[in-house]
Amino acid sequence: MTRHARLPLWADQSPEQKLETLRDLILDLYRYQLDEALREIGAILDAHRPADAKEARDIQRIKGLITQHPNILNMNCEIGHITASAIIVDRASRRTLLHFHKRLGRWLQVGGHTDYETDLAQAALREAREETGLPDLVHFPEPDKPTPIDVDVHAIPRTEDIPAHLHLDFRYILLTEQPAALAPPEGESTRFRWLRFSEARDMGGAIDSALHRLLRKAAALIDGDAD
């Protein structure tokens, strides 16, 4: 909500006060521009049914961060930002695709940052196409009205010039009928594995607990769709 201008006036403010005034103005602009998108994300969270206590806490945490940080969709939000990812499944073999994240040093689903996008399902689809080169990816189980099957908050460690921060990840299922078309472009990870769900879960500590949960959910949905 915008606030009335206050004393001292800009010309009389200290450098610290001017920085605070500019910060408030910028956040007001984010609220104005992204209010509808953030309310839609809030509705997604309200409708999502958590699978465990960790996911339930994460949902409430994201709701709070959305309220506190109207720039939460942008990477300039210092505490963290919303991301979108997807577990990719080959429709015929019902195998899933994981890739090895070089910086984090573990196997993950594909995904990443929203690029000024407010449609998280579209962001997950774009990231998956960019990272894998797969041309025919479609959302599952509702291609025309996709919703995340999992929500997770996790910490990203500090690098040389980027502070430690949070990823507030919305996770989807994507299907392909052309697994052989996997062709990650230059600059993306080249270590991919097509695995049966049981094989992926047997990787133990090579994948984190949130990915284990995502795999269980995806397997249940895919198996429920079996002929």
Side-chain angles (χ1 to χ4, degrees):
M1 178 182 295
T2 57
R3 295 179 294 175
H4 200 287
R6 292 179 176 272
L7 296 174
L9 297 178
W10 177 265
D12 300 320
Q13 289 180 8
S14 68
E16 292 78 13
Q17 289 172 320
K18 287 181 177 180
L19 284 174
E20 186 63 23
T21 298
L22 286 173
R23 179 181 181 276
D24 288 342
L25 288 171
I26 290 168
L27 291 181
D28 277 344
L29 286 173
Y30 274 109
R31 289 188 184 96
Y32 176 78
Q33 186 68 29
L34 296 174
D35 179 67
E36 182 178 352
L38 293 177
R39 282 191 285 107
E40 289 176 357
I41 292 171
I44 290 172
L45 294 170
D46 287 339
H48 187 78
R49 300 183 65 178
D52 55 30
K54 164 67 163 61
E55 191 175 14
R57 290 193 301 271
D58 286 348
I59 289 170
Q60 295 307 312
R61 190 175 190 185
I62 296 172
K63 287 181 179 179
L65 289 171
I66 287 174
T67 300
Q68 298 166 32
H69 304 278
N71 60 332
I72 199 75
L73 278 163
N74 196 293
M75 286 189 288
N76 66 17
C77 184
E78 294 180 355
I79 194 170
H81 37 263
I82 289 172
T83 57
S85 66
I87 201 82
I88 295 175
V89 179
D90 170 27
R91 188 187 293 270
S93 70
R94 298 182 182 270
R95 293 177 301 160
T96 188
L97 183 66
L98 299 181
H99 81 103
F100 189 78
H101 195 289
K102 292 179 288 186
R103 186 165 70 82
L104 297 178
R106 61 175 182 259
W107 291 91
L108 294 171
Q109 74 280 11
V110 297
H113 299 104
T114 60
D115 287 349
Y116 302 100
E117 296 155 296
T118 58
D119 185 331
L120 303 185
Q122 181 59 35
L125 180 60
R126 175 190 53 74
E127 281 284 332
R129 286 171 173 166
E130 290 177 357
E131 292 186 18
T132 68
L134 292 169
D136 66 334
L137 294 171
V138 294
H139 277 282
F140 178 87
E142 297 182 63
D144 297 326
K145 194 178 180 181
T147 55
I149 68 163
D150 192 74
V151 176
D152 183 66
V153 176
H154 52 274
I156 301 298
R158 174 179 176 171
T159 62
E160 182 177 351
D161 60 346
I162 298 176
H165 60 282
L166 299 173
H167 276 184
L168 320 177
D169 200 31
F170 290 68
R171 301 173 165 193
Y172 298 80
I173 298 179
L174 295 172
L175 296 185
T176 180
E177 295 183 355
Q178 301 181 44
L182 177 65
E186 185 176 352
E188 298 288 352
S189 171
T190 57
R191 291 182 63 184
F192 282 88
R193 296 179 66 183
W194 286 105
L195 299 165
R196 297 191 181 281
F197 283 106
S198 59
E199 294 173 328
R201 293 194 297 269
D202 285 344
M203 293 174 71
I207 60 177
D208 63 28
S209 59
L211 180 51
H212 275 285
R213 186 183 67 212
L214 176 61
L215 288 166
R216 289 195 300 271
K217 290 184 180 183
L221 286 167
I222 294 294
D223 290 344
D225 187 58
D227 293 332

